[in-house]
Amino acid sequence: MTRTSWGATLLTILLSLAIGAAAIMLLGYDPVEAYYQLFRGAFVGKFNIGGVFERFVPLMLTALAFAVSAKVSVFNVGVEGELYLGAMAAAWAGYALTGLHPVVHVPVCFALAMVVAGAWGAIPGALKAYWRVNEVCVTILMNYVAIFFTSYLVGNPFSARTSIPRTPSIEESAKLLRFLKPSRVNIGLFVAIGVLLLVWWVLYHTTWGFRLRHTGQNPDFSEYVGIPPKKVMVWGMILSGAIGGLAGAIEVMGIHGHFLDNFSPGIAFDGMLASLIAKNDIRMVPVLALFLAVLKTGALGMERFTGVPKTLIDTIIAVFILLAAMEALFSWKRRGAASAGEGA
Amino acid sequence: MDTTNDILSLVFNATLFHSTIRAATPILYATLACVLTQQADILNIGVEGIMIFSAFAAVATSYFAGSWVLALVAAIIVGVVVAAFMAFAHLGAKADIFVVGMGVNMLAIALTRFLLQRIFGVSGSFHHNDIVAMPRLSFDFGGSELLNDLFNDYSLFEPVGIVLVFVLAFILYKTVWGLRLRSTGLNPQAAETAGINVTMRKFEVMLYSGVLGGIAGAHLSLGYSRMFVENMTNGRGFMGVAAMFFGGANPVWGWVGCLIFGFADSVGSRLQSLGLPSQFILMIPYLATVLVLTLAMMRKKRAETARKSAL
């Protein structure tokens, strides 16, 4: 589809860090010291390294979910909703099913999360495939429906009856093993990396993956050579939704231990942006997710030791994304009229 | 049975009309901003960010200058600057408008949070007695409670928004400018052939969208409320996009969409204050929009199939 330009991405990263340095200097701080503390805050000590991976897992998975849907030319803005539903499904399976062995319980939670979120993803996929309903709009709207729905569940039937709306804690057998304590990083990291490799292998080394990519590039020709483009598009969205659901499940089973109302501060939107900057290249997705996770984690250390506010780092990330999008002047074909304007 | 009636009368009474308008207005300005750009085939997902920036500018100006007029002007200027940047990135640097919009939203949240700490030394929210709100319209209905409930005490930009809906509809569908704008969205090549500079037209329309987004932000922080809160739009920009889709980029139908959002929001918050689950009511506008979109596309597809088979 489009080739990734590593050099340009690196240049954009350096440019946004330079802009950040200038801003730090303007505020009267030492940029070298600030970046040094940012680096320390991300890489020195178990807690910090763990913190990076804690943020990396949901970012990478949601970015991957977005990238997969982009392969069938669906612009899936609904990963956030899939994340919520997956998290809720995993939390329910985590506390409602008791007496299971971890080897059974954990996969059951994952499976339920992926089925629920995959089914949710199939809806906009089918609407787009069969009636060409604008998926950007539908997925944005469905995010709200999913978040309201989980909010209802956590407030009423699945409530732990605590002061903050959350579900009961999941069983020990559903919790993901943590390492690098005291950080909350868990074996979900390896699950995520495994899923990344699996998806990459499926997309580029199996017939099914070939059909998926083929349909995304040219649905008419796919139909001509006997690949049903509509079905493939729906399956692509199911896969995308399932990955988003898995991200939610890992958040619940590895980090929180229960479903908390409104737990995600737009994780999937950050993931989506990571994927967009990676131009939906699956090999670049983990690199950008890691970069964002490092910045977000290191920012805490930077704020604590130098006083440079961490909101500045969020600003730099936004600048980076805008710059990276504009750098696309050279290398990125537009999505075209695929999603804009159809609903009008 | 009595309690059901009590609850119903607490939720559905004359003040619901006012609170529907009140909840719909911030979304309405966002909708109009999206309608304008959508007519030129630009999905302005960044209206959320424009609103946050403008809301901040309005509160800061109102606090320091003590005037809501200056605050409105500042909000509009900020809105236009942000929109101009988006237009440049999209049309000049060929960046995907969706990425630019999401980037601007992210930038708006981060930067206003940062400025809130730097300028006012607070985090979370800023309210102060020196912030001058937009004026409210009050009439004397001679003690008629119903008329008071229905028509009194509107913030200035609530009725203005309704007027704007029809002004915009007139401009889009009854003027040459509107025809040319719509043609750039419908068929850019044909518009180009007819001598319309499509890129300039899109740029122009993004600036107007910035004006509307600026008003949306100023109204949110000085009319709807009188403070600035981190991420205070809380998805209203996206609701604006949704309402625009609901109305198929037609301002009047977009307004209807906003009213449905406003109505659901008002009923939802009333149910919540009574301790009833409000989530299903709050879902209705989103589900309704998906349904409207789907039905519209199904009808379109059936019409196309019918036309083909007639050949």
Side-chain angles (χ1 to χ4, degrees):
Chain A
M1 240 172 136
T2 44
R3 282 181 297 116
T4 317
S5 140
W6 293 80
T9 309
L10 194 67
L11 202 70
T12 319
I13 290 177
L14 290 177
L15 186 60
S16 22
L17 289 181
I19 292 174
I24 292 170
M25 215 149 29
L26 272 176
L27 292 171
Y29 299 99
D30 178 6
V32 177
E33 173 69 12
Y35 279 140
Y36 172 68
Q37 290 296 351
L38 182 101
F39 179 82
R40 276 183 61 89
F43 294 112
V44 178
K46 281 182 179 176
F47 183 76
N48 291 340
I49 296 178
V52 168
F53 287 125
E54 237 175 69
R55 287 180 177 77
F56 169 74
V57 170
L59 264 175
M60 196 271 281
L61 281 177
T62 51
L64 182 63
F66 185 85
V68 165
S69 66
K71 291 278 177 278
V72 285
S73 71
V74 178
F75 212 71
N76 184 8
V77 195
V79 183
E80 185 83 356
E82 289 146 14
L83 179 92
Y84 269 89
L85 288 175
M88 178 51 96
W92 178 80
Y95 82 79
L97 308 175
T98 52
L100 293 176
H101 192 272
V103 175
V104 182
H105 204 173
V106 168
V108 165
C109 294
F110 280 164
L112 188 68
M114 291 173 80
V115 167
V116 168
W120 188 250
I123 300 172
L127 290 180
K128 160 115 180 167
Y130 291 97
W131 296 290
R132 287 183 298 146
V133 184
N134 185 323
E135 81 281 15
V136 174
C137 182
V138 171
T139 49
I140 288 177
L141 296 164
M142 283 177 62
N143 278 341
Y144 287 94
V145 177
I147 293 170
F148 282 133
F149 185 59
T150 55
S151 173
Y152 164 75
L153 291 179
V154 79
N156 299 285
F158 299 167
S159 171
R161 310 271 167 233
T162 48
S163 56
I164 40 167
R166 66 174 185 85
T167 61
S169 293
I170 58 172
E171 295 284 306
E172 281 301 319
S173 56
K175 284 187 179 155
L176 299 175
L177 194 67
R178 286 187 187 173
F179 59 98
L180 282 177
K181 284 176 183 169
S183 80
R184 296 178 296 178
V185 69
N186 52 70
I187 52 166
L189 175 64
F190 304 111
V191 176
I193 292 171
V195 166
L196 176 78
L197 293 174
L198 184 70
V199 167
W200 178 79
W201 182 78
V202 166
L203 279 179
Y204 292 95
H205 295 274
T206 66
T207 319
W208 197 75
F210 173 76
R211 289 181 171 187
L212 213 91
R213 288 182 292 123
H214 198 279
T215 303
Q217 285 168 23
N218 194 339
D220 294 334
F221 187 66
S222 295
E223 183 134 44
Y224 179 74
V225 295
I227 304 171
K230 289 172 181 161
K231 271 187 196 147
V232 172
M233 188 181 268
V234 176
W235 274 109
M237 274 301 284
I238 290 175
L239 180 60
S240 167
I243 298 169
L246 181 67
I250 292 176
E251 284 296 281
V252 163
M253 294 156 66
I255 307 281
H256 301 293
H258 51 252
F259 180 96
L260 190 66
D261 196 14
N262 271 316
F263 74 99
S264 160
I267 293 171
F269 287 102
D270 289 349
M272 178 179 77
L273 287 168
S275 175
L276 283 167
I277 299 307
K279 292 156 192 91
N280 305 322
D281 181 336
I282 288 179
R283 289 165 305 170
M284 281 290 282
V285 157
V287 178
L288 276 149
L290 189 64
F291 174 65
L292 293 185
V294 164
L295 281 185
K296 279 175 182 274
T297 312
L300 300 171
M302 185 188 77
E303 184 172 57
R304 183 166 347 130
F305 292 111
T306 65
V308 179
K310 73 174 169 54
T311 47
L312 191 70
I313 293 296
D314 291 333
T315 311
I316 293 172
I317 293 176
V319 168
F320 161 68
I321 282 159
L322 288 169
L323 282 176
M326 288 198 276
E327 166 268 329
L329 185 55
F330 312 108
S331 54
W332 193 15
K333 274 194 289 187
R334 284 230 312 127
R335 272 186 301 127
S339 46
E342 257 173 34
Chain B
M1 197 59 211
D2 266 356
T3 49
T4 319
N5 275 332
D6 283 350
I7 288 171
L8 281 178
S9 64
L10 275 173
V11 173
F12 298 98
N13 52 36
T15 54
L16 188 61
F17 176 76
H18 192 156
S19 57
T20 296
I21 301 274
R22 189 180 126 79
T25 303
I27 308 171
L28 175 60
Y29 283 101
T31 307
L32 296 181
C34 293
V35 162
L36 254 183
T37 57
Q38 190 68 33
Q39 292 284 4
D41 194 21
I42 298 177
L43 179 59
N44 190 358
I45 209 103
V47 70
E48 176 101 3
I50 294 177
M51 281 171 77
I52 297 178
F53 273 125
S54 308
F56 184 84
V59 160
T61 314
S62 176
Y63 172 73
F64 287 117
S67 152
W68 67 268
V69 180
L70 282 180
L72 179 67
V73 172
I76 290 177
I77 290 172
V78 167
V80 170
V81 168
V82 177
F85 166 76
M86 289 175 64
F88 164 74
H90 174 51
L91 302 165
K94 299 281 175 241
D96 190 286
I97 188 65
F98 190 81
V99 186
V100 175
M102 292 305 290
V104 162
N105 294 342
M106 211 174 161
L107 185 68
I109 293 175
L111 199 58
T112 52
R113 189 178 283 164
F114 171 72
L115 291 172
L116 200 62
Q117 282 169 356
R118 289 297 292 185
I119 299 177
F120 300 111
V122 293
S123 58
S125 65
F126 174 69
H127 33 92
H128 195 284
N129 282 335
D130 289 354
I131 300 173
V132 180
M134 287 172 170
R136 296 190 154 270
L137 307 173
S138 53
F139 307 99
D140 185 15
F141 289 115
S144 160
E145 202 177 318
L146 182 67
L147 286 175
N148 265 325
D149 280 348
L150 288 179
F151 299 116
N152 223 342
D153 202 33
Y154 281 94
S155 182
L156 178 62
F157 276 84
E158 283 163 357
V160 169
I162 299 171
V163 175
L164 261 181
V165 169
F166 294 98
V167 170
L168 198 61
F170 179 81
I171 291 175
L172 282 176
Y173 298 108
K174 301 284 176 210
T175 64
V176 176
W177 187 86
L179 179 69
R180 290 191 177 150
L181 173 65
R182 285 183 295 125
S183 73
T184 61
L186 280 173
N187 193 337
Q189 272 120 2
E192 210 54 89
T193 314
I196 298 168
N197 187 334
V198 171
T199 309
M200 282 312 290
R201 200 50 75 119
K202 286 187 171 182
F203 201 96
E204 184 188 355
V205 119
M206 275 301 287
L207 298 186
Y208 296 145
S209 161
V211 172
L212 288 167
I215 298 175
H219 172 75
L220 190 63
S221 62
L222 295 179
Y224 181 83
S225 62
R226 195 166 67 91
M227 58 175 151
F228 181 81
V229 185
E230 268 179 21
N231 191 15
M232 77 182 299
T233 48
N234 201 10
R236 286 192 182 85
F238 288 119
M239 290 184 209
V241 175
M244 178 278 291
F245 274 120
F246 178 89
N250 177 312
V252 178
W253 282 105
W255 180 48
V256 172
C258 291
L259 290 176
I260 298 176
F261 273 100
F263 182 75
D265 188 60
S266 310
V267 173
S269 58
R270 281 164 191 223
L271 288 179
Q272 210 157 28
S273 67
L274 295 169
L276 293 166
S278 57
Q279 287 92 350
F280 289 103
I281 301 285
L282 292 174
M283 268 180 218
I284 288 174
Y286 301 98
L287 290 174
T289 309
V290 171
L291 203 69
V292 166
L293 279 177
T294 308
L295 290 176
M297 291 309 288
M298 278 175 169
R299 209 172 51 209
K300 195 168 157 190
K301 182 160 180 179
R302 215 172 32 230
E304 273 167 19
T305 321
R307 202 161 52 224
K308 268 186 206 150
S309 63
L311 285 175

